[in-house]
């Protein structure tokens, strides 16, 4: 019985990854933006949910498991970057970025309308970018994923593998970023695990 479940969700991961579009557009690009100055409301993306995903927190979430997944994702991404021989292979975790990422992953979880579907997006992308720019970063990108049906010790690996196998997500991973933040949200009802990784320099 375990193999059909895994097979079904292996198909769900690529579908979730290709729905990432960076602010209301379409396609499979990882979302990114650069600024030459302080954040401005003039650049706010149109057609996005106005709710503040930074404020989302979930009662009863498995925070220890989410923290484990976050650390594993950062380690696997740094391992992948190191294998590519990048000059700044090890991304430094910035807790402020991780809080932004956690807010978006929790937002994805609370936005589920059908527990049988994994739906990821970049709603409020500009807001997260502006928050990163307020921390004096000048370039920002993010990857988002959702998975279900894997053993606990396989979750982070499946998320990272999905990003590494997607050209647009891989582009963000191999870019010359210096800092990162990862946020994971585990939906204990649907079994869906959402992950958001932010990249900055």
């Amino acid at each position: 019985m375990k193999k059909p479940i895994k097979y079904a969700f292996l198909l769900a991961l690529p579908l979730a990854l290709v729905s990432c579009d960076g602010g209301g557009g379409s396609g499979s690009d990882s979302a990114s933006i650069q600024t030459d100055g302080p954040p401005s409301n003039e650049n706010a993306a149109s057609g996005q949910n106005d709710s503040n995903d930074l404020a989302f927190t979930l009662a009863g979430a498995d925070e220890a498991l989410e923290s484990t997944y976050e650390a594993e994702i950062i380690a696997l991404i740094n391992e992948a970057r190191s294998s590519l021989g990048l000059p700044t292979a090890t991304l430094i975790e910035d807790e402020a970025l991780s809080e932004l990422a956690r807010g978006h992953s929790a937002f994805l979880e609370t936005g589920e309308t059908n527990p049988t579907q994994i739906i990821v997006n970049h709603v409020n992308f500009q807001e997260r970018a502006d928050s990163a720019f307020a921390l004096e970063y000048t370039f920002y990108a993010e990857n988002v994923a959702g998975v279900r049906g894997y053993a606990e010790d396989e979750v982070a690996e499946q998320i990272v593998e999905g990003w590494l196998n997607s050209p647009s997500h891989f582009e963000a991973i191999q870019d010359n970023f210096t800092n990162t933040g990862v946020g994971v949200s585990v939906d204990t009802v649907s079994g869906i695990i959402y992950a958001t990784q932010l990249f900055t320099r």
Side-chain angles (χ1 to χ4, degrees):
M1 188 78 179
K2 188 175 182 182
K3 287 204 183 264
I5 291 174
K6 275 194 170 184
Y7 179 72
F9 298 114
L10 279 173
L11 294 175
L13 178 62
L15 291 174
L17 291 174
V18 298
S19 70
C20 298
D21 63 49
S26 63
S28 62
D29 291 339
S30 186
S32 64
I33 191 168
Q34 184 170 0
T35 184
D36 294 324
S40 164
N41 288 335
E42 294 173 8
N43 296 325
S46 61
Q48 294 191 16
N49 186 332
D50 291 330
S51 63
N52 180 351
D53 66 10
L54 305 181
F56 277 86
T57 56
L58 301 171
D62 190 337
E63 291 180 15
L65 184 58
E66 291 168 347
S67 293
T68 298
Y69 290 152
E70 291 167 2
E72 289 174 353
I73 289 169
I74 291 172
L76 289 167
I77 291 293
N78 281 336
E79 184 180 302
R81 288 172 57 87
S82 181
S83 73
L84 295 169
L86 299 174
T88 55
T90 301
L91 296 172
I92 299 166
E93 182 180 10
D94 181 328
E95 185 58 31
L97 295 175
S98 291
E99 283 301 314
L100 291 171
R102 287 181 193 115
H104 186 60
S105 292
F107 171 81
L108 293 172
E109 180 182 338
T110 61
E112 288 177 7
T113 56
N114 182 344
T116 64
Q117 293 182 327
I118 299 172
I119 299 174
V120 296
N121 60 54
H122 293 285
V123 169
N124 297 319
F125 169 82
Q126 185 66 52
E127 182 179 309
R128 288 185 298 283
D130 287 347
S131 294
F133 299 151
L135 297 169
E136 300 189 11
Y137 293 113
T138 58
F139 196 87
Y140 171 90
E142 66 183 35
N143 284 342
V144 177
V147 297
R148 168 174 51 198
Y150 294 101
E152 285 183 11
D153 62 346
E154 298 175 326
V155 168
E157 183 179 336
Q158 291 301 319
I159 289 169
V160 172
E161 186 177 315
W163 285 337
L164 292 173
N165 290 325
S166 165
S168 60
H169 295 84
F170 181 68
E171 186 178 328
I173 291 168
Q174 70 172 351
D175 206 335
N176 63 340
F177 293 109
T178 57
N179 294 78
T180 192
V182 174
V184 172
S185 186
V186 177
D187 184 337
T188 56
V189 176
S190 70
I192 299 172
I193 300 160
Y194 293 99
T196 303
Q197 181 166 23
L198 313 184
F199 300 89
T200 57
R201 63 175 178 262

